């Protein structure tokens, strides 16, 4: 088992019609042992920007605290919220700073940009951005999630339908993974 | 002759036939403009100091993280248990098969019938367990034919342990319990692929076994009824599947067969359907006859 599979996680974000949804599982484990069934992996940066952090739980929490700190500084200087594209570049830079001793974390960023245009992206643990127009996945169940999302996704879904789709994709994928599960948190904006 | 491009060349010509060119090597391109140490401070935009990386204190840049990543490999991702009590021997198991982190099946039969009066449990490599249990069944049958009487559980477990010991170190992964009835009453042995063989009254094998032991040890009494023993076994497996990621887990998937055949003719087949129902079937004929014309159902829903 690798360090990315130490705690176990499943994250997915999807794009709908002027909305986005981001979902994660709730299990926190130490290898195979389940330690908690209500662990939070998705954090709010501001009303229209959410970041989910999969991988090692300690790095996820530390990285979240760093990102919130940087965003608050930005808010004080610019007197406005960060755009999702800008935030993604910020996360990428912070991750690459630790190129030779990285955070063992794969972030999933989802937000609404100008005119409520949805934006999602994911990156690997050293900051390689992967932008997508439909969905992004991360975590130990990522291969199952790719398959489930690929078959269930339709473009331009309304929020209710998007919620149903992302929930079903998440639940069916974590059923095939020992290290994630125990329900899910879904945020639809 | 060595050629090095340079801005300055001093050519010295020797007397004789050879020409030697002496170059002054220019290292100006290799000087670093970034300071050697000093991480960028996040309070000052990150721009005030030149970008620099924190280099880890190691000589092997490419592979040092691989060693940090190696964690103990979980062995035998399953939960099986068996215990002897007043009425016989109870055997129970979960039904999840996992390959590393991936769940390959939620409905695996982990209790294998070696012959009509002996059961084996599967933990470790599925192929190894299935093959060697079947092989053991063949050897038991041959023993029966050669000696005109059934092999004892002691003898059967010894046969298996000797076979596994001879393959020791070759990578077999088997953690099994041989449970059954012979002339001395119920018998239970634990046999593993390292060649170990233990006689006992209570065993649990697999990655979920610590959790199962917790419930089993606190609830165990020798004089339980069949229903109480089935309920204890079901609860132990349930709590193990709750905490252990490699034991499953899904309400629709858990199925466990618990059965034994007593020499005086009474037989019981106990099944759990889903996580919460125990169904005990009392058979009027020994199980070994493989025909059960009359069945009385006792169903418990919890």
């Amino acid at each position: 088992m690798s360090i990315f599979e130490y705690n176990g996680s499943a994250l997915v974000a999807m794009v709908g019609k002027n909305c986005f949804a981001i979902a994660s599982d709730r299990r926190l484990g130490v290898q195979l042992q389940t330690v908690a069934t209500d662990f939070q992996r998705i954090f709010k940066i501001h009303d229209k920007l959410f970041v989910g952090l999969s991988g090692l739980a300690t790095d996820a929490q530390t990285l979240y605290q760093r990102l919130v700190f940087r965003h608050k500084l930005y808010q004080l200087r610019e007197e406005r919220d960060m755009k999702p594209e800008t935030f993604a570049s910020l996360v990428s830079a912070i991750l690459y700073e630790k190129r030779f001793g990285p955070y063992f974390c794969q972030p999933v960023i989802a937000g609404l940009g100008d005119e409520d245009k949805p934006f999602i992206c994911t990156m690997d643990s050293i900051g390689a951005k992967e932008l997508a127009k439909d969905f992004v996945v991360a975590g130990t169940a990522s291969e199952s999630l790719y398959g489930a999302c690929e078959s269930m996704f339709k473009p331009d879904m309304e929020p209710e339908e998007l919620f149903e789709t992302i929930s079903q994709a998440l639940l069916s994928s974590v059923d095939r993974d020992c290290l994630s599960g125990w329900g899910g948190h879904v945020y639809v904006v | 002759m060595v050629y090095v491009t340079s801005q300055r060349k001093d050519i010295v010509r020797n007397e004789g036939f050879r020409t030697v060119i002496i170059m002054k090597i220019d290292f100006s391109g290799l000087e670093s403009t970034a300071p050697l140490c000093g991480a960028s401070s996040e309070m000052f935009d990150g721009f005030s100091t030149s970008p620099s990386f924190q280099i880890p204190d190691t000589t092997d840049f490419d592979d040092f993280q691989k060693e940090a990543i190696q964690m103990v490999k979980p062995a035998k991702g399953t939960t099986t248990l068996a215990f002897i009590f007043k009425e016989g021997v109870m055997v129970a198991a979960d039904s999840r098969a996992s390959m590393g982190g991936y769940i390959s099946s939620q409905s695996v039969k982990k209790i294998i019938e070696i012959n009509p009066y002996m059961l084996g449990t599967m933990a470790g490599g599925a192929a190894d367990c299935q093959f060697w249990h079947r092989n053991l069944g063949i050897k038991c049958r041959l023993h029966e034919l050669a000696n005109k009487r059934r092999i004892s559980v002691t003898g059967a477990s010894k046969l298996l342990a000797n076979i596994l010991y001879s393959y020791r170190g070759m990578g077999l992964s088997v953690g099994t319990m041989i449970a059954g009835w012979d002339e001395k009453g119920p018998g239970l042995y634990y046999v593993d692929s390292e060649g170990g063989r233990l006689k006992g009254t209570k065993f649990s094998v697999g990655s979920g076994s610590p959790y199962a032991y917790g419930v089993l040890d606190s609830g165990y009494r020798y004089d339980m009824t069949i229903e109480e023993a089935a309920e204890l076994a079901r609860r132990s497996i349930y709590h193990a599947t709750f905490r252990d990621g490699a034991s499953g887990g899904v309400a629709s998937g858990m199925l466990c067969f618990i059965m034994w055949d007593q020499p005086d003719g009474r037989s019981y087949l106990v099944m759990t359907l889903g996580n919460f129902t125990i169904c005990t079937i009392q058979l009027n004929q020994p199980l070994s006859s493989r025909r059960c014309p009359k069945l009385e159902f006792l169903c418990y829903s919890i």
Side-chain angles (χ1 to χ4, degrees):
Chain A
M1 285 213 176
S2 82
I3 188 75
F4 289 102
E5 295 167 16
Y6 187 75
N7 290 127
S9 54
L11 268 178
V12 57
M14 274 193 191
V15 163
K17 197 175 171 64
N18 295 333
C19 63
F20 69 85
I22 183 167
S24 80
D25 75 318
R26 300 200 314 173
R27 178 185 182 271
L28 175 72
V30 168
Q31 294 193 303
L32 286 176
Q33 180 180 45
T34 307
V35 170
T37 55
D38 56 0
F39 189 68
Q40 197 186 10
R41 286 196 173 87
I42 300 179
F43 305 100
K44 185 169 96 153
I45 303 288
H46 62 80
D47 280 336
K48 292 189 182 175
L49 179 57
F50 283 76
V51 64
L53 294 161
S54 71
L56 197 62
T58 171
D59 281 352
Q61 288 179 334
T62 305
L63 189 61
Y64 161 65
Q65 284 162 4
R66 282 247 154 103
L67 294 173
V68 155
F69 170 70
R70 293 297 295 265
H71 180 254
K72 281 187 177 163
L73 268 183
Y74 182 95
Q75 271 182 326
L76 286 171
R77 286 196 189 114
E78 305 259 335
E79 286 169 12
R80 64 180 178 88
D81 290 329
M82 235 192 225
K83 277 194 270 194
E85 293 87 0
T86 319
F87 186 74
S89 300
L90 171 71
V91 179
S92 179
I94 287 179
L95 290 174
Y96 199 76
E97 264 181 340
K98 300 271 184 234
R99 169 64 176 82
F100 295 112
Y103 291 111
F104 295 113
C105 229
Q106 280 144 342
V108 167
I109 295 159
L112 290 176
D114 293 330
E115 283 137 41
D116 281 356
K117 187 164 177 308
F119 169 85
I120 51 172
C121 91
T122 185
M123 39 192 97
D124 69 358
S125 58
I126 44 177
K129 258 190 292 188
E130 186 204 310
L131 306 166
K133 295 202 173 68
D134 39 15
F135 58 86
V136 291
V137 303
T140 51
S142 56
E143 279 145 7
S144 303
L145 276 166
Y146 273 124
C149 289
E150 197 66 60
S151 53
M152 293 189 197
F153 181 79
K154 286 192 320 269
D156 283 333
M157 282 189 278
E158 295 295 326
E160 290 82 17
E161 205 192 341
L162 186 65
F163 171 78
E164 277 302 320
T165 309
I166 201 173
S167 311
Q168 288 303 326
L170 182 73
L171 289 176
S172 58
S173 306
V174 304
D175 279 347
R176 276 290 171 184
D177 182 26
C178 302
L179 302 166
S180 48
W182 289 107
H185 283 129
V186 183
Y187 295 84
V188 180
V189 178
Chain B
M1 290 225 243
V2 175
Y3 291 95
V4 177
T5 49
S6 162
Q7 288 172 352
R8 269 186 54 181
K9 285 185 207 175
D10 295 310
I11 302 176
V12 171
R13 207 169 283 175
N14 265 345
E15 301 91 45
F17 308 105
R18 284 184 301 171
T19 312
V20 177
I21 303 170
I22 300 176
M23 314 274 189
K24 191 159 160 80
I25 298 174
D26 176 19
F27 284 114
S28 60
L30 293 173
E31 272 163 46
S32 170
T33 51
L36 282 173
C37 60
S40 61
S41 165
E42 293 185 328
M43 285 296 285
F44 300 110
D45 280 334
F47 294 136
S48 56
T49 54
S50 315
S52 62
F53 293 117
Q54 285 175 294
I55 306 286
D57 191 17
T58 175
T59 48
D60 182 11
F61 272 13
D62 291 316
D63 288 325
F64 76 96
Q65 280 177 29
K66 281 185 199 156
E67 284 175 39
I69 284 166
Q70 263 314 317
M71 299 273 187
V72 171
K73 254 191 134 138
K76 304 183 181 141
T78 187
T79 311
T80 59
L81 58 89
F83 56 89
I84 292 179
F85 68 113
K86 182 182 65 170
E87 303 274 356
V89 54
M90 178 71 71
V91 184
D94 74 312
S95 66
R96 177 179 283 187
S98 54
M99 302 197 304
Y102 179 68
I103 300 174
S104 41
S105 172
Q106 297 272 40
S107 50
V108 175
K109 270 184 72 178
K110 293 193 186 177
I111 302 183
I112 306 167
E113 297 145 31
I114 299 170
N115 59 39
Y117 54 95
M118 251 198 283
L119 291 175
T121 58
M122 186 201 299
D128 290 334
C129 288
Q130 281 174 357
F131 179 84
W132 289 110
H133 279 134
R134 190 153 167 83
N135 189 278
L136 179 65
I138 294 169
K139 291 207 158 57
C140 291
R141 181 73 182 134
L142 286 171
H143 180 277
E144 228 175 275
L145 292 169
N147 299 93
K148 282 193 187 163
R149 62 184 208 171
R150 278 180 180 174
I151 192 172
S152 60
V153 182
T154 316
S157 61
K158 191 74 176 171
L159 275 176
L160 182 64
N162 287 340
I163 293 168
L164 291 177
Y165 183 77
S166 63
Y167 284 97
R168 188 177 141 100
M170 293 197 201
L172 287 184
S173 171
V174 170
T176 182
M177 293 178 285
I178 307 292
W181 273 89
D182 55 26
E183 288 157 1
K184 296 199 185 119
L188 177 61
Y189 284 82
Y190 164 75
V191 179
D192 72 18
S193 49
E194 313 296 307
R197 173 174 166 266
L198 299 170
K199 184 177 157 81
T201 48
K202 222 189 312 163
F203 285 114
S204 175
V205 179
S207 59
S209 63
Y211 315 110
Y213 269 129
V215 178
L216 185 59
D217 283 338
S218 52
Y220 176 79
R221 283 173 334 199
Y222 181 73
D223 45 1
M224 285 188 284
T225 63
I226 293 167
E227 289 80 19
E228 282 171 355
E231 172 59 16
L232 178 66
R234 182 199 68 79
R235 241 172 4 106
S236 307
I237 296 284
Y238 173 72
H239 282 102
T241 58
F242 183 87
R243 279 288 172 183
D244 180 32
S247 302
V250 177
S252 63
M254 186 175 137
L255 181 73
C256 84
F257 279 93
I258 310 157
M259 60 191 214
W260 65 99
D261 178 297
Q262 300 184 336
D264 59 350
R266 276 183 304 140
S267 296
Y268 290 88
L269 179 68
V270 182
M271 298 195 296
T272 66
L273 313 165
N275 273 328
F276 299 111
T277 315
I278 291 187
C279 166
T280 313
I281 307 171
Q282 187 169 348
L283 308 167
N284 288 345
Q285 287 194 0
L287 216 56
S288 44
S289 70
R290 294 280 181 219
R291 282 192 326 216
C292 316
K294 266 194 185 168
L295 298 174
E296 291 165 33
F297 276 90
L298 302 164
C299 279
Y300 296 90
S301 295
I302 295 127

